[in-house]
Amino acid sequence: MKQTKLNVIEKAIEEKKGEDIVTINIEEKSPFWSYAVIATMRNCKMASSIVDEIQKNLSLINEEVRRVDGVNTSSSWVLVDCYDIVVHIFTPEERSRVNLDELLSKKAK
């Protein structure tokens, strides 16, 4: 079921034009999540449509989002907690600055 949920999340991001989607298995290193999905949004308004699409598509497979942080605040970093999967959506500048891709990749090894 995790893989189906992961596929639904990735597809929702793609459908709303999220870019540079990276999925990292972090279940060995995180007590909270099995996977982290990282994507880039072109602007802050895009985050809301991506989050809505994730919520809509997850509901179709009887899953839900636990919490969303940063959306509707013009934040350059939005976090979507989907219980066992966490989604990080960044502006390009913020993604480069935070460099979460590299940090999580190192932790996953």
Side-chain angles (χ1 to χ4, degrees), residues 41-88:
M41 58 182 165
R42 280 183 242 130
N43 57 59
C44 297
K45 289 182 181 181
M46 229 177 135
S48 182
S49 66
I50 291 172
V51 170
D52 289 346
E53 191 73 9
I54 290 171
Q55 290 174 317
K56 181 183 88 173
N57 291 357
L58 284 179
S59 72
L60 297 174
I61 61 166
N62 296 317
E63 294 281 350
E64 61 184 27
V65 169
R66 178 187 304 176
R67 182 179 172 103
V68 177
D69 287 319
V71 77
N72 300 326
T73 62
S74 298
S75 178
S76 56
W77 182 353
V78 174
L79 183 137
V80 185
D81 182 347
C82 303
Y83 291 92
D84 54 342
I85 300 170
V86 61
V87 180
H88 299 273

Side-chain angles (χ1 to χ4, degrees), residues 1-41:
M1 188 60 170
K2 256 189 242 181
Q3 191 60 47
T4 300
K5 185 176 179 181
L6 190 58
N7 291 342
V8 166
I9 291 168
E10 291 168 336
K11 186 170 172 37
I13 296 168
E14 287 173 3
E15 286 176 3
K16 291 300 176 177
K17 308 296 184 214
E19 300 171 344
D20 302 321
I21 302 166
V22 174
T23 300
I24 302 168
N25 182 329
I26 57 172
E27 62 190 337
E28 301 270 330
K29 301 293 181 181
S30 171
F32 305 109
W33 301 291
S34 298
Y35 292 93
V37 179
I38 304 168
T40 301
M41 58 182 165

